[in-house]
Amino acid sequence: MLNKLLTLVLVREPSRVLLGLKKKGFGEGKWNGFGGKVEPGETILEGAKRELLEESGVVSNSLEEIGLLKFEFVGDPQILEVHVFTSNTFEGEIKESDGSTRIFLHFAEMRPQWFYTDKIPLHQMWADDKYWFPMFLKGSKFKGYFLFEGHEKIVKYQLDEVEKL
Ligand code: 6OG
């Protein structure tokens, strides 16, 4: 079976990272970068850019691919292949939660918020993030494989810092 291609984008400033709280669907209730399925006919990079815009409201023309993560769930033959990108610039306005956007955000899939790099809400994120987030924060590239049992427990994993993907 072919891997399912997904993207994950982490917009960052020197001391902060933009995350979104997923309000419905896969990973509901978790903070994560922005991303989703790559559509037929688009490249992985185009998919990353599109999902970032749809979910956060910003455009990035400087996405850099920094990670490749493969996820398997016990009992499910489908492998999720998540291409992780970062960007330290963006254009447009983040759909952040303030009074004027509250009604709109009620219907949005993600609620964006900046987090200081020493206050990343790892306990409210996918369990793999605590392994690779430190690599991302220090500017390293990484490749990993994680076997999940259910959505919270990792039963096996391998993770390496790499020079290039
Ligand atoms: P949609 O199904 O909503 O895209 N994603 C994961 N991210 C992390 N950090 N860990 C995981 O461990 C993940 N599995 C999937 C990829 C799902 C979004 O969630 C990411 C996509 O950005 C299992 O279209």
Side-chain angles (χ1 to χ4, degrees), residues 93-132:
E93 259 184 61
I94 297 164
K95 297 190 252 180
E96 268 184 295
S97 196
D98 61 29
S100 61
T101 52
R102 200 168 291 143
I103 293 170
F104 169 74
L105 283 161
H106 184 71
F107 299 100
E109 199 177 329
M110 299 280 268
R111 177 157 67 77
Q113 192 178 307
W114 286 103
F115 288 90
Y116 285 101
T117 52
D118 60 352
K119 295 205 171 64
I120 302 297
L122 287 166
H123 54 287
Q124 275 187 75
M125 294 164 73
W126 280 102
D128 53 282
D129 295 27
K130 73 164 186 273
Y131 299 103
W132 59 264

Side-chain angles (χ1 to χ4, degrees), residues 6-76:
L6 296 156
T7 59
L8 185 63
V9 180
L10 296 156
V11 172
R12 73 171 297 179
E13 291 181 340
S15 64
R16 301 194 300 179
V17 179
L18 187 67
L19 299 174
L21 180 63
K22 184 95 182 244
K23 297 198 296 182
K24 55 189 172 200
F26 191 70
E28 184 178 331
K30 291 180 165 67
W31 291 97
N32 205 349
F34 303 95
K37 293 169 207 66
V38 177
E39 303 279 0
E42 70 182 1
T43 63
I44 296 171
L45 179 64
E46 286 165 352
K49 194 174 164 177
R50 175 183 51 74
E51 291 278 355
L52 175 65
L53 174 61
E54 286 175 7
E55 295 180 345
S56 76
V58 306
V59 171
S60 170
N61 292 308
S62 63
L63 289 173
E64 182 195 5
E65 191 162 2
I66 54 158
L68 182 59
L69 299 173
K70 291 187 183 171
F71 299 108
E72 191 175 352
F73 291 83
V74 172
D76 185 347

